[in-house]
Amino acid sequence: MNDSKKRKHQETREDDVIWEDFGELARRYPEFRQAYSKLQHKSISAGQTPEFQVALTRALIHSRFNLTLPSLPLDRLSPPVPNRWSYVRWISQKLLPMLQSQNSYFATTATPCHRGMDIGTGASAIYPLLMIRDSPHFSMVATEIDPVSAESALTNVRANDLSQQIQILHVRPTRVQEGLETSDPPMNGTVDTFRSGGPIACAMEKLVSASSVPRFDFVMTNPPFFDKEEALAPRADDRERSAMTECEGMYPGGEEGFIMDMIRDSLVWRENIGWYTAMCGKKASFVRLKTILTHLLGPGHLQTMEFGPGHMTRWFLAWTFHRPCIRSPVVVGKQDPFAVSTDGLSPDAAILNVVDRICVYCKSSPGGWKLTAQVSFMRTGGMRVEIRESNPQMRTATHVDDSASLPDRLSIGLEHNWDARSFMPEEGHFLIDATVEKSASVFPWTVMVGLKFFRHSSRGMQAVETIRAQIQGEISRTNRRWRRILKRQAEASATENDAAMQE
Ligand code: SAH
């Protein structure tokens, strides 16, 4: 083997995500032992046959989760367990607690008893099964258009005695899968009345009854990855694609088209579902979808996660319409604490003096921004100043990021009825957290100022950039200048008080 071939061979082996000791699995599971022995000296990724994948999925899911998958047809996708499990954990450990702590959406539920939907559960029903293993009190609706996969999923759910918690729902294909236009034009010009016709809508329409509209805490999906031509083309690395049927692998517009149709659905069903989430197999579609969602809702409504690295890297995207706290999850900038000297003042007076400087800076309307500074004490003995816009509702762009534009597939039905303000965090377009604390040095006293910048919209970003460029210089002026500014300000407010008393 020449050097470059040898290196490639090693890289492939290192790339393989080995999550469990295969030797140990082979010892315990005869089906896996047989498939594993056929691999001989090939790398795992090069030697993956449908038989191997099925045996591996079965062995892993039993050894790790005590689940059985009696029905895994060889011509259907056999799911790799590690990335599926990490998706499930991300939802249960990160996304759901986030809505719960920041939002009134779940406030009435004392013990979280979440309900989720898996779109396109496949022949395995892997996501609902793993979800219930992770959180036994959850319940799931799992949709599928392929009758063979739906039947197989049902067999697996029954085999694990989970029919009470997992409902398999056979749904009709989406409008674009049926070759129809993406949507009907909006009726009465309102977003709520246009038929979005995507994969969530098909499920919701089936679940709506005369007396109730269903609510879900989250939706998850591993969408068909490819557009038709892509699926038929050979892979760049010449490996064979995993076994999959046309509806498993293909969708008009590939995974991007599928998730875009979910975004359209989410605009209609926005109040009924807490988190909309999806897995992407290609970084380019993940990046494009993230840009679209940021443009539509603002970065505070998004969460992302990457699983990998290696040839199995996957990107996960989540969005919510529930009003987020601007501090989570996006920090657009942080400044390492810098020292401000306040000679001659005691530590407490020095902290107050620097807080005063920040307030005076805010009152000066930097860059034309009208700012308020809200001061509070911290438990550590320092003080915090929250800087925000005095009237965040004053000017709102139609969308959050003016620079981007929406693809047609999404914009139909939105133009007339899109009020970006309803998705704005309570804090407004931006927020700056300043912490003012005593430095560790004993003498001379210096005060340390730390800054964190958060933004919701491109308008907020402009404010953040202006203030970030100025604030350190402005509050670190020489002490003499500050004494003069503060004195002038005290005189001005005394004159104002006098005038008020005379009136
Ligand atoms: N969730 C499984 C299967 C993913 S493959 C896993 O992670 O392994 C994608 C699945 O979506 C296929 O089973 C396909 O039949 C199904 N599917 C495609 N279009 C759909 C639609 N409009 N509604 C529901 N399921 C759909």
Side-chain angles (χ1 to χ4, degrees):
M1 212 185 272
N2 70 28
D3 263 7
S4 78
K5 261 203 182 143
K6 207 192 284 166
R7 213 176 313 117
K8 188 147 197 284
H9 183 72
Q10 280 169 355
E11 276 166 14
T12 328
R13 290 203 69 92
E14 278 160 15
D15 269 352
D16 296 332
V17 184
I18 298 179
W19 195 50
E20 191 94 16
D21 179 346
F22 279 12
E24 175 62 17
L25 282 185
R27 200 180 55 73
R28 289 178 59 198
Y29 298 97
E31 184 192 12
F32 181 69
R33 183 158 59 237
Q34 213 177 16
Y36 190 45
S37 69
K38 283 196 193 146
L39 275 185
Q40 295 178 334
H41 300 298
K42 290 183 198 166
S43 86
I44 306 290
S45 53
Q48 275 184 12
T49 56
E51 287 79 5
F52 177 82
Q53 285 178 346
V54 164
L56 176 60
T57 300
R58 276 206 182 113
L60 271 181
I61 211 149
H62 187 265
S63 92
R64 275 276 173 134
F65 303 105
N66 197 24
L67 287 165
T68 53
L69 295 177
S71 181
L72 278 181
L74 285 175
D75 58 350
R76 296 289 190 282
L77 192 72
S78 178
V81 183
N83 65 33
R84 305 302 198 267
W85 177 240
S86 101
Y87 186 7
V88 160
R89 295 287 289 172
W90 181 55
I91 292 176
S92 73
Q93 304 300 305
K94 176 126 196 235
L95 299 184
L96 293 175
M98 195 179 271
L99 271 194
Q100 210 157 10
S101 63
Q102 287 168 10
N103 211 284
S104 58
Y105 185 67
F106 298 115
T108 49
T109 328
T111 20
C113 188
H114 297 305
R115 187 165 181 236
M117 188 194 288
D118 174 27
I119 307 270
T121 200
S124 57
I126 180 108
Y127 284 133
L129 290 172
L130 288 181
M131 191 53 95
I132 304 288
R133 269 295 175 270
D134 177 63
S135 310
H137 42 278
F138 281 22
S139 65
M140 297 285 295
V141 170
T143 78
E144 185 47 65
I145 52 167
D146 171 10
V148 174
S149 289
E151 194 53 44
S152 166
L154 193 61
T155 305
N156 290 329
V157 168
R158 285 188 183 140
N160 292 286
D161 211 8
L162 289 172
S163 314
Q164 291 290 318
Q165 282 160 278
I166 302 173
Q167 180 190 359
I168 306 289
L169 196 67
H170 185 222
V171 290
R172 66 173 172 80
T174 64
R175 288 177 67 80
V176 294
Q177 276 173 313
E178 283 175 329
L180 300 172
E181 284 296 304
T182 325
S183 86
D184 289 337
M187 289 150 67
N188 314 327
T190 69
V191 74
D192 292 329
T193 50
F194 89 98
R195 278 177 49 198
S196 53
I200 300 175
C202 292
M204 293 299 258
E205 282 159 14
K206 238 186 145 168
L207 294 167
V208 168
S209 71
S211 57
S212 73
V213 181
R215 283 174 79 93
F216 288 90
D217 303 309
F218 62 93
V219 162
M220 66 194 304
T221 189
N222 175 17
F225 279 164
F226 307 108
D227 201 27
K228 202 161 191 162
E229 277 133 46
E230 244 180 310
L232 299 176
R235 282 175 76 131
D237 58 6
D238 273 348
R239 280 186 289 137
E240 274 187 35
R241 294 196 189 285
S242 320
M244 55 179 126
T245 61
E246 189 165 318
C247 62
E248 281 180 319
M250 292 179 216
Y251 192 81
E255 61 179 7
E256 211 175 315
F258 195 89
I259 299 171
M260 208 102 89
D261 286 352
M262 282 176 64
I263 299 177
R264 286 169 52 79
D265 285 344
S266 74
L267 299 174
V268 177
W269 296 96
R270 58 188 180 224
E271 296 308 323
N272 297 72
I273 296 173
W275 280 110
Y276 294 85
T277 76
M279 166 163 135
C280 297
K282 282 175 277 180
K283 189 164 189 186
S285 32
F286 166 77
V287 169
R288 276 194 294 267
L289 289 161
K290 194 174 153 199
T291 308
I292 289 170
L293 284 164
T294 308
H295 172 53
L296 205 57
L297 298 172
H301 292 256
L302 300 193
Q303 278 286 320
T304 59
M305 195 259 290
E306 185 176 319
F307 173 86
H311 68 270
M312 290 292 276
T313 308
R314 294 286 180 263
W315 295 267
F316 296 89
L317 193 58
W319 68 101
T320 179
F321 290 81
H322 293 275
R323 216 178 258 275
C325 163
I326 199 168
R327 286 195 185 80
S328 177
V330 207
V331 184
V332 296
K334 238 186 197 171
Q335 200 150 319
D336 284 341
F338 57 87
V340 179
S341 80
T342 52
D343 54 22
L345 295 176
S346 69
D348 287 344
I351 288 175
L352 279 173
N353 178 277
V354 172
V355 167
D356 259 348
R357 294 178 185 199
I358 296 174
C359 295
V360 168
Y361 168 70
C362 291
K363 273 202 193 131
S364 73
S365 303
W369 295 93
K370 296 259 176 283
L371 304 177
T372 48
Q374 204 173 327
V375 180
S376 57
F377 288 97
M378 298 196 300
R379 263 191 238 127
T380 53
M383 293 177 89
R384 162 172 289 127
V385 188
E386 281 184 2
I387 302 169
R388 55 176 95 179
E389 198 172 3
S390 302
N391 180 1
Q393 307 285 340
M394 249 169 44
R395 260 198 314 134
T396 335
T398 324
H399 292 289
V400 175
D401 281 296
D402 307 336
S403 54
S405 66
L406 287 178
D408 289 349
R409 201 159 172 162
L410 276 179
S411 57
I412 302 170
L414 269 186
E415 290 95 8
H416 311 292
N417 195 261
W418 191 249
D419 183 0
R421 269 173 306 187
S422 45
F423 307 117
M424 191 151 78
E426 265 158 30
E427 294 84 351
H429 290 273
F430 66 92
L431 179 79
I432 299 170
D433 266 340
T435 50
V436 185
E437 289 168 289
K438 187 166 90 83
S439 76
S441 70
V442 180
F443 195 79
W445 310 116
T446 48
V447 169
M448 300 304 289
V449 178
L451 294 164
K452 266 194 201 167
F453 304 87
F454 305 88
R455 68 100 175 190
H456 168 67
S457 59
S458 47
R459 172 180 159 76
M461 194 68 201
Q462 283 165 17
V464 160
E465 275 164 3
T466 309
I467 297 166
R468 184 159 45 184
Q470 295 178 345
I471 191 165
Q472 181 173 352
E474 289 293 320
I475 63 177
S476 311
R477 298 179 204 213
T478 63
N479 288 321
R480 202 156 0 111
R481 282 191 69 188
W482 268 108
R483 275 198 294 275
R484 264 208 315 269
I485 292 171
L486 292 176
K487 192 169 158 219
R488 229 181 290 135
Q489 219 191 13
E491 283 166 6
S493 77
T495 323
E496 261 172 38
N497 283 348
D498 284 353
M501 276 168 69
Q502 278 169 17
E503 267 173 20

